[in-house]
Amino acid sequence: MNATGSHPGPDGHARPENPHVTGNEVSLDHGHVAGVEVADRFENPGLPPHKLRHADVDPKAAKRAEIQVASMFALSIVGTVGFLVAYFTIPMHKYVWIPWFGNLDLLHTLFGVFMGLSLLGIGLGAVHWAKTLMPDAEVVEERHPIASPQDSRQGVIDTLGRGAEQSQIGRRPLIKVAGGAALGIFALPMVVQLVGGLGPMGEAERELRNTFWRKGLRLMTDPEGRPIKAEDVTMGSVYHVLPEGIYDDPKQKPNEGQVFEHDQDLGVLERKAKAAVLLMRLPSAAFVSSKARDWGYQGIVAYSKICTHAGCPVGLYEQQTHHLLCPCHQSTFDVTNDCEVIFGPARRALPQLKITVDSQGYLIADDGFAEPVGPSFWTRKR
């Protein structure tokens, strides 16, 4: 295309000129921009004229907006108070049937509903406040040097003061009280959950110290649930083990004053989180610790699978060095020396489960763990 807008045809003759071509267009030639430089043809349109809102000119409309904002903050207060009431009055594990959803945990359902109302009320109130009562005039602030002189800093303070005045928070005590109350008590659900979730010290410590293991329980493969005979554990092999009955024994609710010592009041996942064990067989001559050898059976030893650093599953076994490795942070435990820590951030050895065999030759626990499994907690000395 030439400057007049005509194109050469296949025979070399020019095609008819384009009547819409002015000569100032930019043409593309094989992907490159060619032609006359385009002048700045656009002027700054500026800002549109500011339109006053209904609440800006009608005091009654402003009062209605204030009441609406306060009502939304009041909705948030109701949600927060409802959350706290549900926390202290609704029992755990109580289920209700709700159409289209089925059986739901009542406590958790109310937690979600009331927390949603609390957040919704604060959000809607803040947005409606900004849309109806706060100033909405568009302004342009030119860029300036980063360093601010003292008069500019004072200007910021003055601007904040004017913003507070223009937001009408001083003239709208109802919004100030309702909004302050909604935001002030919003933190209570988090604090109550944090403090209440710790539970009684004795009960929490008992759950940390005890596991499902007890004397006479067979060692079962995970996840098959098959009992293990001593003769089946070959040299260098590793079994992931759980206690017999961990799936079958139903969760029990303690009576008043009753205390369970072996996680009978916990669910399956909570039981497994503490009871997982690694079983392996070493040559008797490889043991450095006599305790590790004596608590095993013919070179077969069982150790907790829960890392004492952060609770990750210790699942890697090096047959040549007899080391257990935690894949999370590389804590390494020496099986020959009672699973003492030889590398990594862990500070305690893996607890050993004392084992023996029953009359049929199946491996069983000779007792529960002699010390708590997993990471340290506040009442442990180590």
Side-chain angles (χ1 to χ4, degrees), residues 1 107 144 148 240 283 308:
M1 182 180 72
L107 182 61
H144 54 77
S148 300
H240 295 261
T308 55

Side-chain angles (χ1 to χ4, degrees), residues 23-359:
N24 295 326
E25 288 76 15
V26 176
S27 62
L28 299 178
D29 183 16
H30 302 293
H32 299 282
V33 178
V36 181
E37 181 178 356
V38 179
D40 185 5
R41 295 171 293 170
F42 301 99
E43 297 181 356
N44 184 359
L47 296 175
H50 178 245
K51 296 182 180 180
L52 295 176
R53 299 163 301 185
H54 195 37
D56 295 331
V57 296
D58 186 357
K60 292 183 178 180
K63 188 62 178 180
R64 285 196 302 269
E66 179 184 2
I67 295 176
Q68 292 166 356
V69 172
S71 300
M72 295 172 189
F73 286 150
L75 176 65
S76 173
I77 295 173
V78 170
T80 303
V81 173
F83 184 101
L84 297 174
V85 171
Y87 185 90
F88 288 106
T89 60
I90 305 299
M92 295 179 62
H93 309 302
K94 181 178 181 180
Y95 291 85
V96 295
W97 187 85
I98 299 178
W100 297 294
F101 295 98
N103 288 323
L104 297 179
D105 188 302
L106 178 60
L107 182 61
H108 291 168
T109 302
L110 292 179
F111 279 172
V113 170
F114 287 130
M115 182 60 70
L117 287 177
S118 182
L119 289 170
L120 182 66
I122 290 177
L124 291 179
V127 171
H128 195 58
W129 185 5
K131 290 287 187 180
T132 57
L133 295 175
M134 291 185 182
D136 66 336
E138 296 186 27
V139 295
V140 176
E141 182 180 5
E142 301 295 338
R143 299 186 62 180
H144 54 77
I146 296 178
S148 300
Q150 182 61 36
D151 56 344
S152 297
R153 299 176 186 175
Q154 184 61 41
V156 171
I157 297 176
D158 296 339
T159 300
L160 293 176
R162 287 195 301 271
E165 181 180 355
Q166 292 174 350
S167 68
Q168 304 185 30
I169 191 170
R171 296 169 50 197
R172 308 290 177 182
L174 187 59
I175 290 181
K176 180 165 62 175
V177 173
L183 292 172
I185 70 172
F186 180 72
L188 288 179
M190 278 68 79
V191 174
V192 170
Q193 288 184 91
L194 176 62
V195 176
L198 297 176
M201 180 66 71
E203 181 180 349
E205 184 173 355
R206 175 186 61 80
E207 290 190 2
L208 290 170
R209 291 188 177 276
N210 298 334
T211 69
F212 195 81
W213 287 104
R214 51 191 179 274
K215 185 178 179 66
L217 290 184
R218 285 180 174 178
L219 279 66
M220 313 292 284
T221 59
D222 179 32
E224 299 84 1
R226 177 176 56 84
I228 307 171
K229 285 192 173 183
E231 59 191 38
D232 296 334
V233 185
T234 58
M235 202 68 66
S237 61
V238 178
Y239 287 83
H240 295 261
V241 173
L242 288 174
E244 178 184 16
I246 194 170
Y247 292 104
D248 303 329
D249 287 2
K251 180 178 179 180
Q252 303 179 35
K253 184 177 181 180
N255 298 322
E256 186 176 356
Q258 184 181 10
V259 176
F260 291 124
E261 296 294 340
H262 299 289
D263 290 351
Q264 295 95 325
D265 56 335
L266 299 183
V268 173
L269 293 180
E270 295 168 301
R271 294 173 179 177
K272 290 176 64 176
K274 297 188 293 178
V277 163
L278 286 174
L279 183 76
M280 63 219 80
R281 190 168 204 157
L282 283 67
S284 298
F287 286 101
V288 176
S289 169
S290 59
K291 179 257 184 182
R293 181 180 59 251
D294 296 341
W295 279 32
Y297 179 80
Q298 296 181 357
I300 304 173
V301 290
Y303 283 93
S304 171
K305 190 179 176 181
I306 313 304
C307 182
T308 55
H309 170 231
C312 296
V314 180
L316 303 177
Y317 176 59
E318 299 176 353
Q319 296 182 2
Q320 301 300 320
T321 60
H322 307 301
H323 291 167
L324 285 172
L325 176 67
C326 177
C328 290
H329 306 99
Q330 287 70 55
S331 292
T332 307
F333 305 88
D334 185 2
V335 180
T336 66
N337 194 22
D338 203 21
C339 271
E340 286 291 332
V341 181
I342 60 174
F343 181 79
R347 289 294 175 264
R348 291 189 296 108
L350 294 175
Q352 184 177 8
L353 180 69
K354 191 174 183 180
I355 60 174
T356 185
V357 295
D358 60 14
S359 59

Side-chain angles (χ1 to χ4, degrees), residues 10-21:
D11 55 358
H13 296 288
R15 293 177 178 174
E17 295 183 355
N18 187 343
H20 302 288
V21 173

